[in-house]
Amino acid sequence: MAPWPAPPPPPPPPPSLAAPPPPGVSAKGPPARKLLFMCTLSLSVTYLCYSLLGGSGSLQFPLALQEPPGAAEPPPPSLPPPPVRLGAPSQPPAPPPPPPDNASRGEPPETPRQPAAPGADGWGLASGSGGSRDAWLRTPMTPGEMGTAQSALLEREAPESSTTDEELAGRRAANGSSSAVSTPDYGEKKLPQALIIGVKKGGTRALLEAIRVHPDVRAVGVEPHFFDRNYEKGLEWYRNVMPKTLDGQLTMEKTPSYFVTNEAPKRIHSMAKDIKLIVVVRNPVTRAISDYTQTLSKKPEIPTFEVLAFKNRTLGLIDASWSAIRIGIYALHLENWLQYFPLSQILFVSGERLIVDPAGEMAKVQDFLGLKRVVTEKHFYFNKTKGFPCLKKPEDSSAPRCLGKSKGRTHPRIDPDVIHRLRKFYKPFNMMFYQMTGQDFQWEQEEGDK
Ligand code: A3P
């Protein structure tokens, strides 16, 4: 096994913070709740300040968030909060107005008018070509490993987002491994008991492929996009998308866009209040660059990252309506989820640690899901060519496999000044996120943004 980089020191012990009040419950309560409530409100004021400085005159996304050159950093989230609250249990936040001219960025509208097929990723890049680039590939990577789609519903997979079960089935055949060992075709289809809800480019595919190694987990390989794009198809449709499970097995799926979908928390809550939610988060600056890199790979003609990141670069006006930037304002999105779910039902996985210490992060995931720690360091090895950890024995195969070439791309070089400005822009939101989650992800301490 190749040597592993030494994992970074663990984050300092989290402050004990309670979740904000659940739906219908007043903010009055124990001091910890008050504190978080105040923090949430102060986030709102931070956001308000940004919006006023940006001159948009609106409290809703999308906004242009201004950071003038040399200007003081935005007020920290600990400032006294104004009487403003984002969202409310009885009135979930209104969906954001469509971002301006996404087409020029190669982006589709964020909320497609027509429901898309499961697995269709953001950017409107779904194609019928399958998702071989997004799969865990055998080492060395073999192109064109694709199974035949069994279902018309599942075959339109976005190349960027998902590995289909069909693809994996094709690999099983190619590997000569018996699918009956780990993926029996009997049992019952159930609605998921756990979801990976985000974030896009956080490392969600790596997490899903690692957890599905667990014999007590069955996960759908495609992204069903039920709670954002396919909700009107109904729960029976959703259940049908799921793999069959035996008693005691957990059904899971991942759709990273749920985390930034306003309606998702309410919809998921109405399906299963006790569902477990997992969010893989990553330094939002790196995440934005990764997101951009993905789009660039499909649409080389789009403007540079530096151009897209600003409404007005001279004024330092950051364009938070650009989804690559907006997705990384984790605290604002989380606020929406905490209207419906207690913090204890959400696990935040560090995308950075998932790379340097996958077994450590998987231990937390398995504990959170109430599973025996079956996926351990012996399941991973570091592939020097890939530059990432790979699985020794994926769910469907006894052969080692890395993720495909759409995972772990080389990022374009970004002007360090732009990175600096983005880091300053995200800092107060990151601080707020650390407070809300009780976890310090240490993104401010990172030297580079790769
Ligand atoms: P980059 O391609 O920018 O490096 P998602 O699956 O949510 O789209 O996330 C993709 C990111 O997962 C990749 O972003 C990569 O950094 C990260 N990642 C984490 N573990 C990985 C692994 N074992 N192999 C490849 N990429 C991994």
Side-chain angles (χ1 to χ4, degrees):
M1 186 163 118
W4 281 87
S16 61
L17 284 175
V25 176
S26 147
K28 288 178 189 162
R33 278 193 178 186
K34 276 188 185 165
L35 177 61
L36 185 54
F37 182 67
M38 300 253 294
C39 289
T40 305
L41 294 183
S42 68
L43 181 65
S44 304
V45 83
T46 303
Y47 197 58
L48 175 62
C49 289
Y50 267 129
S51 64
L52 291 175
L53 285 171
S56 77
S58 165
L59 275 175
Q60 284 188 315
F61 280 115
L63 289 180
L65 305 189
Q66 187 175 27
E67 194 218 330
E73 286 182 19
S78 55
L79 284 178
V84 176
R85 182 162 177 84
L86 294 174
S90 51
Q91 291 175 307
D101 193 20
N102 275 359
S104 65
R105 299 169 173 148
E107 296 178 39
E110 294 228 336
T111 309
R113 287 197 189 106
Q114 295 299 323
D121 201 0
W123 314 109
L125 297 171
S127 79
S129 62
S132 60
R133 279 176 300 168
D134 187 43
W136 287 92
L137 299 174
R138 266 173 287 145
T139 308
M141 288 177 252
T142 55
E145 288 186 310
M146 268 291 295
T148 308
Q150 294 167 341
S151 148
L153 283 178
L154 297 181
E155 71 187 354
R156 283 190 60 219
E157 171 167 18
E160 297 300 341
S161 64
S162 308
T163 303
T164 62
D165 283 342
E166 293 71 34
E167 215 184 336
L168 294 170
R171 290 210 187 97
R172 276 176 209 123
N175 294 339
S177 64
S178 163
S179 63
V181 175
S182 55
T183 56
D185 191 27
Y186 44 83
E188 206 186 324
K189 290 187 178 214
K190 295 195 193 107
L191 290 169
Q193 295 98 39
L195 298 175
I196 299 171
I197 57 172
V199 298
K200 184 185 178 194
K201 305 318 290 174
T204 55
R205 174 57 56 185
L207 176 60
L208 186 79
E209 295 305 320
I211 196 60
R212 70 199 305 204
V213 168
H214 200 293
D216 293 340
V217 172
R218 294 297 323 278
V220 60
V222 291
E223 295 175 4
H225 282 277
F226 177 62
F227 297 104
D228 57 347
R229 301 178 191 164
N230 292 309
Y231 194 61
E232 75 294 338
K233 291 188 171 144
L235 282 173
E236 274 318 298
W237 176 90
Y238 190 42
R239 191 198 306 273
N240 255 311
V241 169
M242 297 299 148
K244 289 179 180 169
T245 47
L246 300 173
D247 272 355
Q249 282 186 318
L250 208 62
T251 304
M252 289 185 70
E253 68 116 325
K254 77 122 178 161
T255 302
S257 49
Y258 291 162
F259 189 62
V260 298
T261 299
N262 281 323
E263 302 81 8
K266 188 180 184 185
R267 290 172 173 179
I268 293 171
H269 188 262
S270 78
M271 178 187 79
K273 317 185 186 16
D274 58 348
I275 198 162
K276 292 184 177 173
L277 306 169
I278 300 176
V279 194
V280 191
V281 287
R282 179 183 188 186
N283 184 331
V285 179
T286 326
R287 200 219 66 80
I289 297 169
S290 172
D291 207 335
Y292 171 78
T293 307
Q294 176 170 301
T295 311
L296 190 66
S297 74
K298 294 291 169 190
K299 304 205 171 215
E301 72 282 2
I302 61 168
T304 63
F305 181 90
E306 289 85 343
V307 165
L308 294 172
F310 292 94
K311 278 252 195 257
N312 182 322
R313 192 165 173 187
T314 320
L315 293 175
L317 194 64
I318 285 168
D319 189 354
S321 71
W322 182 27
S323 69
I325 296 209
R326 187 175 59 83
I327 290 171
I329 308 177
Y330 303 140
L332 282 175
H333 304 301
L334 179 59
E335 220 272 338
N336 194 20
W337 290 85
L338 292 178
Q339 308 301 311
Y340 293 91
F341 295 98
L343 203 54
S344 58
Q345 253 170 267
I346 311 176
L347 179 72
F348 300 92
V349 172
S350 159
E352 285 83 13
R353 293 191 65 80
L354 194 61
I355 295 169
V356 296
D357 180 20
E361 287 306 291
M362 291 314 295
K364 292 180 205 161
V365 171
Q366 291 166 95
D367 290 352
F368 173 72
L369 295 174
L371 299 169
K372 220 176 128 195
R373 289 191 186 180
V374 170
V375 184
T376 61
E377 57 283 340
K378 69 177 192 295
H379 287 89
F380 298 95
Y381 72 102
F382 186 81
N383 184 300
K384 279 189 191 154
T385 315
K386 175 79 180 163
F388 282 90
C390 299
L391 278 173
K392 279 188 190 157
K393 288 185 179 184
E395 184 218 20
D396 60 313
S397 165
S398 55
R401 204 154 64 203
C402 299
L403 285 181
K405 64 184 179 186
S406 74
K407 306 295 178 187
R409 289 188 177 104
T410 303
H411 296 174
R413 186 188 174 276
I414 306 297
D415 182 341
D417 178 59
V418 172
I419 290 182
H420 175 71
R421 281 165 188 271
L422 276 174
R423 289 171 73 95
K424 277 181 78 178
F425 165 76
Y426 278 121
K427 190 173 177 182
F429 297 110
N430 290 346
M431 295 297 141
M432 187 66 214
F433 184 65
Y434 301 164
Q435 281 188 303
M436 292 168 89
T437 59
Q439 273 175 266
D440 180 353
F441 291 91
Q442 304 191 324
W443 293 319
E444 284 62 41
Q445 289 166 35
E446 286 173 29
E447 283 296 314
D449 284 291
K450 173 65 187 161

